[in-house]
Structure formats: structure tokens, C-alpha cells
């Protein structure tokens, strides 16, 4: 699969990533079309997080390109940044701000398509909107971080271990949220240990791309 | 523009909620200035002669101790990587954070400087050039200091390092800030000194924005 | 490991070039500094005001020149490392820093030694000495930052950004200090370089000056070569560690 045959969506074109002198993966290629999803698996240290950071643009790859709608994201970062919604390990929550203030800030920074209240309802913490974020439990904090992705419509979600600290009910809500996002024409790349209900998703085991040192 | 202002507003709101961001810097500023009469003696003549220098040097030191907080909290809770992935260019994020930092430190110090001048027996004519100089000079401290703060993000013992990195860069602002006061006291025009401070700010703007953004990108890799 | 071969390719070329330059640079260093120092100490005339004290100049002035030049080279290498991401530029820039710091220290120490008989004190806030002191601080900051990272490449890039920021600010600092100096001291202050310098004094100065440049090249090449070897050792050790696991 190359950029020429699959221009829409997200394409990884022969990505090679090196961290601390060690090659984590080499010549990695995949494509995710709008409405699609990709589940990244692999043991710890296989480079899931590094791949997510390479896709986002935070970490420049050793070689290869990341294409969004057929355009190199390193050369034209603007459309990619507008489409991208990132969920990292850390929740980026300020305990001093209220739940809705936390989310409202990101809504002003990204072209938000949906309201703050709507996004909070979707992850099931709408009733906590006016509480200081410091009061939230670990699972509620993760849901607040997920609500940030819920602000967007379409585009690409990059989710690194989204299920961490989530309970069963929240897992089901997350699956529904991803399904809604895909139905809206968005796509998602998800690195997760947990089994998420992702109908029709591709799956990629990163241990297959490891390079013997 | 909306996103830029939102970033400034968020930093200011966080600082007020945390309580004491500005108060901490001001506290350092006042306490450090209070040390000088003990060090050089309380003679009003000597103090009056070196008052402007004391205030400027202490303002630089107060700014320096505040830089470590500029990016570190955002780095640790994942906010910084998100900010780097927003449509707003990282250079503007750095500028926004520098502006918020200046409002809480540089501006606060400037507003408190007349009171310190009073305690140090600063001559009456010296207040205007001191305040004007601080007002134009301290923003470049926030900008250059931001580069230092961003550079030490991934480093060990980062906080202690910042002073060594940025204090030499503050020298021109110190020289022209103090000379503005001295010029007025000997009857020379004030404007050239303020213009030079403004020129220093004009250099610090791109250096701070591009240098700071480059350093942040490095820290986020 | 294609990336490893790629990184080795140009260091190998560097080694060849360095080996070719080295003997000539050593010869120039020894010859020029030797001649210049002997000429300066024994055969050049004493200053009509300062007497034999002026002979400090033959070390002090070239050291001060090199202190500045070294920072300029370091900043250029840093900028090219940031732009083209060439590892050798990073290596060379970092190798520059301690050399420059040493030239700066030599300039400060000889300046102080010169100051004692001339001004009567070990330290005077003279414009030149003060700018060299600030330059020394900039070198210290650069080296401290480069060493403060666990990951060497990150340290190199952070330090490279600092070197570029420093290079933009250095002229501003230098002129500010000069301006500050003229404001606070009368015109009667003795200037280290009079506007006129006798040829009998100029020649040894030129010789040591060029000799210091050659010395810089020698030291730089030695440092880069040893750093390259250190990295090779690290790569081999890492390969061994990986083989064991």
C-alpha cells in the first residue's frame, strides 16, 4: 500500500524509528482509511508509544513518512494538526481548574465541532462539570481526557493506552465513542493491551517489525 | 488569535488558582532587596546612589528563580505535548506563555519597584526612568528566560542550571536599565536608553519564540 | 545495520583528512608559538611606559582573540548541526567548548597578571576583560547544559540551540559592556591595545596569533578523534550487551 493507491486517511510509509541508539521498528507500512481503525499490539518495549509519537509528529522518524490525506505531515503539518486528536499516557488535566474549564480550554484551541457539555456527557461525567478536576478519581480523569477527543468530529484519533484505569462500564462507553467517531467519518489508531470492541478494525502486532540489533 | 489569548488566559488563571505564583516572585524580590541595607549599611546616601542597581539586579534574580516553573508543570502532566500538537504554532504558544510569565513577574516587579525605591532612598527624579526601564526591559527577560527554561526541561538538575544559562544574556538589559536612571540623574535625555531597551526586546522576541519552540520540540521527542 | 554504516562513513573520511592535516598543524603550532614567544620575551623592545610587563601581551591578546573565534566556530558548527543534523558537527561543536573555555581562562589569568603591575590591582572592570569574563560564563553554561542530559544527542542539540542564542546575544553583550565601560570610566584609562603598535612588537604578536590558531586546530582534531573512538567503543559495547541477552 502506498500513498498513490490510498490517498485518503492516514498512511505510514516505510517508517523506521530509533530510540537511544536502538532500532525499535523498521520499514513499517500501513494505511487507515476514513471510518477505519487500527489496533496496535505488542509486548512492552516493542515501540507502540514511539510509533504513536512518530505518527503525531512529536518524534521525527529515522526514515519514512507519515501521510495525512495524501500529504506528508512533516512538510505540511497544518492540516494534520487540525485533524489530529491526541490521547497520550498523561491526561493533561490541571487539578486547579474545574472539569468543564479543563475541557473548555482545549475547545478554544482546537476547531471544536461539539460542545463541552455534550463531550462530557458522552464519557459519563456530565454531572461533574463544575467540580475541581482535583476531586476526580483516576478513571474519571481518564474519561475527562477522552472527552477532549470527543470534542472533534471526523479527523484522526491517536490513542495511547486509552483504557488505562477505566472500569467495565467506561470501556463499553469508549467502544461506543470510537464507533460514533468512525461513523462520523473519522479514523482511529489505538495502542492497547485491553480487548476493545472495534468491529472491522485492522490489527498490527509491532513485535513483527522489531529489528534484531 | 483566540487560541493565543486562551493560552495566556489559562496560564494566568492557573497562576491565580495556585495562588502565590506572582506572590512568590514578589516575595523573593522584596526579601532579597531587604538584604542590601544589611550588607552595605543603612546609610541613606550610599543606598540612594545604588538603589536603581539593587532593584534591577534583584529583578533579574527574581525572574531567574521563577523560570523553572514556566514549562515544567505542563511538561510533567502531558499538557505540553498536547500544546505542541495544536494548530497554533508552538512559537506562538511560547510567546503566549512568556507574556503570561511577564504579567506575573516582570509587571508585578515593576509595580512594586517604586515602593522598594522609597525604602532605598531612591532620588525623586529616578522613579520615572526606573519604572519605564523595567516596563520595557523585563519582557525580554521573560522571553530569553523562556529559552533557558525550555532547554533544561530534559536535563538533570535543571533548575540550578537556568541561572547559569540566562543571567549572562540579561546583562544588556541590566546595563541600559540602570543607565537610563543614571542618565536622568545627570540631566541627560532618557529616550535613547528606552529605545535601546526596546531594541533589545525586538531581538529577544524572535530569539525567545524560535529558540524556545526549538528547545520544547527537543524536550518532547 | 545500515544506519550504523551510514554514521561511520563520514567519520572515516574525517579521520583521513585529520591524519593528513595533523603533522602540519603540530609543526605550525610549535614553530610559530615557539618563535613568537622567544622573539616576544627576549628580542622585542620593552614598552616605554610599561617596561617588560608588556610581554604578557604576546600570550594574552592571541588567547583573547581565540576565545572569541572559538565561540564563533562553535556557534557555526551548532547551527549547521541543527540545520543538517550532521553528527560530526555536533561532535566538533562540543569539542570546541572546553578549548574555547581554556583560551578564555588563559586570557583572564594573563589579563589579571598584566593588570597588577599596570593598574595596581589584580582585577579591573575593564571593558575587554569584562566581556571575556562573560564569554567564559557562556562557555560554562554551554558545557554544563551539554553534560546535564542522560541522552548524549539531546544534550548536544540543547547545547547547540544555546550556542546559537548565545551567538546572537554575544555582540549585543559586548557592545553593551563597552558602552557601560565608557560611561563609568574616564578617558585616562589605559587601553591594552594602543592605536599604534610598533612593528617590532607586532611581528611576534602576529606569529603567536597564528600559532594559537594552529594550536586550536590541533586540539580540536585530537578531541574529535578521541570522541569518535569513545563512540565506537560504545557501539561495540552495546552490540555485545545485545548479543548476551
Amino acid at each position: 500500500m502506498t500513498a498513490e493507491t490510498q490517498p485518503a486517511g492516514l498512511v505510514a510509509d516505510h517508517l523506521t524509528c530509533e530510540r537511544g541508539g536502538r532500532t525499535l521498528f523498521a520499514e513499517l507500512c500501513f494505511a487507515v482509511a476514513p471510518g477505519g481503525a487500527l489496533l496496535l499490539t505488542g509486548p512492552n518495549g516493542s515501540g507502540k508509544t514511539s510509533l504513536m509519537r512518530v505518527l503525531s509528529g512529536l518524534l521525527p522518524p529515522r526514515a519514512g513518512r507519515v501521510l495525512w490525506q495524501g500529504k506528508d505531515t512533516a512538510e505540511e503539518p497544518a492540516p494534520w494538526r487540525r485533524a489530529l486528536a491526541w490521547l497520550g499516557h498523561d491526561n493533561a488535566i490541571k487539578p486547579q481548574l474545574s472539569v468543564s474549564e479543563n475541557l473548555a480550554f482545549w475547545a478554544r484551541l482546537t476547531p471544536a465541532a461539539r460542545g463541552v457539555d455534550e463531550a462530557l456527557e458522552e464519557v459519563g461525567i456530565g454531572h461533574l462539570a463544575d467540580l475541581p478536576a482535583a476531586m476526580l478519581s483516576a478513571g474519571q480523569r481518564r474519561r475527562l481526557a477522552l472527552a477532549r477527543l470527543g470534542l472533534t468530529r471526523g479527523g484522526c484519533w491517536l490513542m495511547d493506552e486509552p483504557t488505562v484505569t477505566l472500569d467495565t462500564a467506561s470501556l463499553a462507553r469508549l467502544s461506543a465513542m470510537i464507533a460514533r467517531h468512525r461513523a462520523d467519518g473519522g479514523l482511529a489508531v489505538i495502542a492497547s493491551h485491553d480487548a476493545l470492541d472495534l468491529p472491522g478494525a485492522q490489527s498490527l502486532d509491532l513485535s513483527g517489525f522489531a529489528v534484531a540489533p | 488569535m483566540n487560541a493565543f489569548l486562551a493560552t495566556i488566559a489559562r496560564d494566568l488563571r492557573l497562576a491565580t488558582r495556585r495562588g502565590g505564583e506572582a506572590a512568590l516572585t514578589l516575595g523573593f524580590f522584596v526579601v532579597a532587596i531587604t538584604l542590601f541595607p544589611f550588607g552595605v549599611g543603612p546609610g541613606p546616601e550610599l543606598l540612594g546612589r545604588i538603589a536603581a542597581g539593587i532593584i534591577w539586579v534583584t529583578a533579574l534574580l527574581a525572574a531567574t528563580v521563577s523560570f523553572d516553573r514556566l514549562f515544567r508543570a505542563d511538561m510533567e502532566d502531558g499538557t505540553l505535548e498536547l500544546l505542541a500538537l495544536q494548530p497554533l504554532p508552538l512559537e506562538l504558544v511560547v510567546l503566549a506563555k512568556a507574556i503570561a510569565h511577564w504579567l506575573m513577574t516582570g509587571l508585578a516587579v515593576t509595580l512594586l519597584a517604586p515602593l522598594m525605591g522609597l525604602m532605598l532612598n531612591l532620588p525623586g527624579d529616578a522613579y520615572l526612568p526606573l519604572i519605564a526601564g523595567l516596563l520595557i526591559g523585563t519582557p525580554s527577560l521573560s522571553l530569553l528566560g523562556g529559552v533557558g527554561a525550555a532547554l533544561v526541561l530534559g536535563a538533570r538538575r535543571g533548575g540550578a542550571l537556568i541561572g547559569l544559562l540566562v543571567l549572562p544574556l540579561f546583562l544588556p538589559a541590566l546595563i541600559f536599565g540602570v543607565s537610563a536612571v543614571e542618565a536622568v540623574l545627570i540631566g541627560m535625555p532618557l529616550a535613547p536608553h528606552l529605545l535601546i531597551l526596546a531594541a533589545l526586546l525586538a531581538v529577544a522576541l524572535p530569539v525567545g519564540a524560535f529558540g524556545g519552540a526549538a528547545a520544547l520540540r527537543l524536550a518532547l521527542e | 545495520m545500515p544506519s550504523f554504516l551510514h554514521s561511520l562513513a563520514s567519520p572515516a573520511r574525517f579521520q583521513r583528512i585529520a591524519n593528513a592535516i595533523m603533522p602540519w598543524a603540530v609543526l605550525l603550532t610549535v614553530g610559530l608559538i615557539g618563535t613568537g614567544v622567544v622573539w616576544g620575551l627576549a628580542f622585542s623592545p620593552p614598552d616605554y611606559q610599561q617596561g617588560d610587563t608588556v610581554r604578557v601581551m604576546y600570550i594574552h591578546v592571541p588567547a583573547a582573540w581565540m576565545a572569541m573565534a572559538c565561540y564563533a566556530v562553535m556557534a557555526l558548527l551548532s547551527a549547521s548541526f541543527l540545520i543538517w543534523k550532521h553528527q560530526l558537527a555536533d561532535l566538533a561543536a562540543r569539542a570546541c567548548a572546553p578549548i574555547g573555555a581554556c583560551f578564555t581562562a588563559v586570557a583572564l589569568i594573563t589579563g589579571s597578571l598584566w593588570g597588577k603591575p599596570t593598574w595596581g590591582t589584580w582585577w579591573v572592570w575593564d571593558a575587554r576583560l569584562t566581556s571575556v569574563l562573560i564569554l567564559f560564563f557562556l562557555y560554562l553554561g554551554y558545557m554544563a547544559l551539554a553534560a546535564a542530559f542522560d541522552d548524549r544527542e539531546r544534550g548536544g542539540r540543547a547545547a547547540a540551540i544555546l550556542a546559537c542564542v548565545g551567538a546572537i546575544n554575544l555582540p549585543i553583550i559586548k557592545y553593551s559592556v563597552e558602552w557601560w565601560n565608557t560611561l563609568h570610566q574616564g578617558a585616562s584609562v589605559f587601553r591594552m591595545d594602543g592605536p599604534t603598535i610598533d612593528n617590532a612588537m607586532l611581528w611576534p604578536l602576529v606569529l603567536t596569533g597564528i600559532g594559537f590558531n594552529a594550536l586550536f586546530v590541533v586540539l580540536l582534531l585530537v578531541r574529535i578523534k578521541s570522541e569518535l573512538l569513545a563512540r565506537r567503543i560504545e557501539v561495540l559495547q552495546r552490540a555485545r550487551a545485545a548479543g548476551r541477552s
Side-chain angles (χ1 to χ4, degrees):
Chain A
M1 277 183 283
T2 59
E4 286 71 34
T5 58
Q6 195 99 17
L10 179 70
V11 177
D13 181 16
H14 296 89
L15 288 176
T16 300
C17 174
E18 215 178 55
R19 291 296 270 173
R22 202 163 70 90
T23 305
L24 290 173
F25 49 83
E27 304 283 317
L28 184 68
C29 295
F30 63 76
V32 189
L38 173 69
L39 184 66
L40 294 176
T41 56
N44 285 335
S46 59
K48 294 195 296 289
T49 293
S50 292
L51 174 57
M52 296 300 271
R53 296 181 82 82
V54 166
L55 292 175
S56 72
L58 287 171
L59 178 65
R62 183 92 181 77
R65 302 179 302 164
V66 177
L67 303 165
W68 173 249
Q69 312 293 32
K71 301 225 171 69
D72 189 336
T73 56
E75 281 164 17
E76 283 183 60
W80 173 230
R81 296 253 186 93
R82 275 196 296 276
L84 167 69
W86 168 259
L87 180 78
H89 282 210
D90 301 309
N91 293 323
I93 291 170
K94 295 292 177 190
Q96 298 89 353
L97 302 182
S98 77
V99 168
S100 62
E101 278 173 335
N102 262 299
L103 198 56
F105 169 66
W106 297 110
R108 284 183 72 185
L109 245 67
T110 21
R114 302 163 87 235
V116 168
D117 297 331
E118 198 184 344
L120 287 176
E121 283 304 336
E122 190 175 19
V123 295
I125 52 172
H127 57 294
L128 305 174
D130 54 347
L131 274 188
M135 303 291 165
L136 299 187
S137 70
Q140 287 166 334
R141 292 165 67 87
R142 197 61 176 163
R143 277 144 76 186
L144 174 52
L146 283 168
R148 192 163 33 73
L149 276 63
L151 289 170
T152 61
R153 174 159 281 154
C156 176
W157 289 2
L158 295 181
M159 309 168 98
D160 197 358
E161 300 291 352
T163 58
V164 171
T165 69
L166 289 187
D167 56 22
T168 327
S170 302
L171 278 181
R173 235 189 234 111
L174 173 61
S175 295
M177 197 175 150
I178 295 171
R180 189 272 299 167
H181 170 64
R182 290 170 65 189
D184 280 349
L187 62 93
V189 179
I190 302 152
S192 179
H193 282 101
D194 279 305
L196 274 168
D197 184 23
L198 300 168
Q202 315 168 58
S203 154
L204 179 70
D205 187 352
L206 267 185
S207 48
F209 286 86
V211 178
Chain B
M1 202 60 205
N2 185 21
F4 184 73
L5 293 177
T7 311
I8 299 177
R10 189 195 73 127
D11 269 27
L12 290 178
R13 181 181 286 171
L14 277 172
T16 49
R17 292 276 170 88
R18 268 199 291 261
E21 196 92 340
L24 214 62
T25 312
L26 285 181
F28 179 92
F29 180 63
V30 173
V31 171
I33 282 186
T34 315
L35 294 180
F36 280 87
F38 293 99
V40 302
E45 236 163 76
L46 174 63
L47 282 180
R49 194 147 42 82
I50 61 175
I54 292 176
I55 291 174
W56 259 98
V57 169
T58 317
L60 300 193
L61 296 178
T64 306
V65 281
S66 68
F67 287 131
D68 197 35
R69 298 191 294 276
L70 186 53
F71 295 116
R72 193 164 295 279
D74 281 345
M75 178 76 182
E76 280 164 2
D77 69 10
T79 302
L80 208 55
E81 63 183 25
L82 261 171
L83 284 172
L85 294 174
Q86 298 306 315
L88 184 68
L90 194 54
E91 284 77 7
L92 289 181
V93 174
V94 171
L95 272 190
K97 290 189 78 76
I99 290 172
H101 177 265
W102 177 74
L103 289 172
M104 286 177 297
T105 59
L107 183 63
V109 160
T110 307
L111 294 177
L112 204 63
L115 188 64
M116 295 296 104
L118 216 60
M119 287 169 69
L120 295 173
N121 192 33
L122 186 75
D125 294 341
Y127 284 88
L128 174 69
L130 177 69
I131 296 166
L134 283 169
L135 210 56
I136 305 174
T138 46
S140 46
L141 308 187
S142 291
L143 286 161
L144 293 175
V147 182
L151 279 174
V152 302
L153 271 183
R156 286 172 272 125
R157 54 177 191 272
L161 204 65
I162 294 182
L164 181 61
L165 302 189
V166 300
L167 279 173
L169 304 180
F170 290 171
L171 200 64
L174 171 66
I175 288 175
F176 288 102
V178 175
S179 76
V181 176
E182 285 173 354
V184 169
L185 289 182
I186 59 171
M188 303 275 279
L190 170 64
H193 301 266
L194 297 184
L195 286 175
I196 291 176
L197 282 174
L200 292 177
L201 178 56
V203 175
L205 263 170
V207 170
F210 290 102
L216 285 185
R217 280 196 196 97
L218 170 65
L220 285 169
E221 268 185 21
Chain C
M1 283 185 126
S3 63
F4 171 58
L5 290 177
H6 170 81
S7 72
L8 199 68
S10 64
R13 203 167 60 225
F14 164 81
Q15 295 273 19
R16 270 207 314 281
I17 297 169
N19 288 341
I21 297 175
M22 194 60 124
W24 299 101
V26 172
L27 207 69
L28 264 178
T29 307
V30 176
L32 287 174
I33 295 183
T35 320
V37 165
V38 171
W39 190 346
L41 290 185
F43 299 103
S44 77
D47 187 73
Y48 76 101
Q49 259 183 331
Q50 304 180 55
D52 284 333
T53 315
V54 78
R55 298 184 202 282
V56 180
M57 174 178 76
Y58 301 115
I59 299 296
H60 173 79
V61 172
W65 284 342
M66 289 316 296
M68 296 277 175
C70 213
Y71 200 91
V73 171
M74 191 173 90
L76 283 176
L77 286 168
S78 295
S80 66
F81 171 55
L82 289 175
I83 297 166
W84 293 294
K85 305 208 160 45
H86 202 294
Q87 295 297 322
L88 204 58
D90 171 42
L91 245 151
R94 277 202 233 194
C96 265
I99 304 173
C102 284
F103 280 127
T104 318
V106 167
L108 285 173
I109 293 167
T110 52
S112 171
L113 289 175
W114 196 359
K116 181 62 181 163
T118 321
W119 293 316
T121 62
W122 293 109
W123 183 263
V124 165
W125 292 93
D126 157 79
R128 271 153 202 282
L129 272 182
T130 312
S131 342
V132 173
L133 182 64
I134 302 297
L135 185 62
F136 187 60
F137 295 153
L138 291 180
Y139 277 119
L140 286 188
Y142 176 92
M143 290 190 289
L145 184 65
F149 284 76
D150 290 323
D151 183 297
R152 199 182 35 210
E153 198 198 318
R154 275 161 173 261
R157 279 172 56 197
I161 295 171
L162 181 70
C164 294
V165 171
I168 295 169
N169 281 279
L170 195 58
I172 303 175
I173 295 174
K174 199 168 148 39
Y175 286 114
S176 306
V177 168
E178 268 168 26
W179 187 87
W180 160 82
N181 195 250
T182 55
L183 187 77
H184 286 268
Q185 294 189 356
S188 64
V189 177
F190 168 78
R191 287 175 63 89
M192 279 199 186
D193 58 338
T196 54
I197 182 163
D198 192 77
N199 272 350
M201 287 165 144
L202 185 64
W203 276 111
L205 185 60
V206 168
L207 287 187
T208 48
I210 301 173
F212 268 54
N213 274 292
L215 175 64
F216 169 63
V217 172
V218 171
L219 292 174
L220 188 63
L221 291 181
V222 169
R223 285 191 58 85
I224 296 176
K225 277 169 80 167
S226 62
E227 184 62 28
L228 279 174
L229 287 175
R231 289 198 183 186
R232 269 248 290 281
I233 290 171
E234 202 187 300
V235 168
L236 291 174
Q237 282 174 337
R238 190 168 275 149
R240 239 178 84 194
R244 288 259 174 87
S245 68

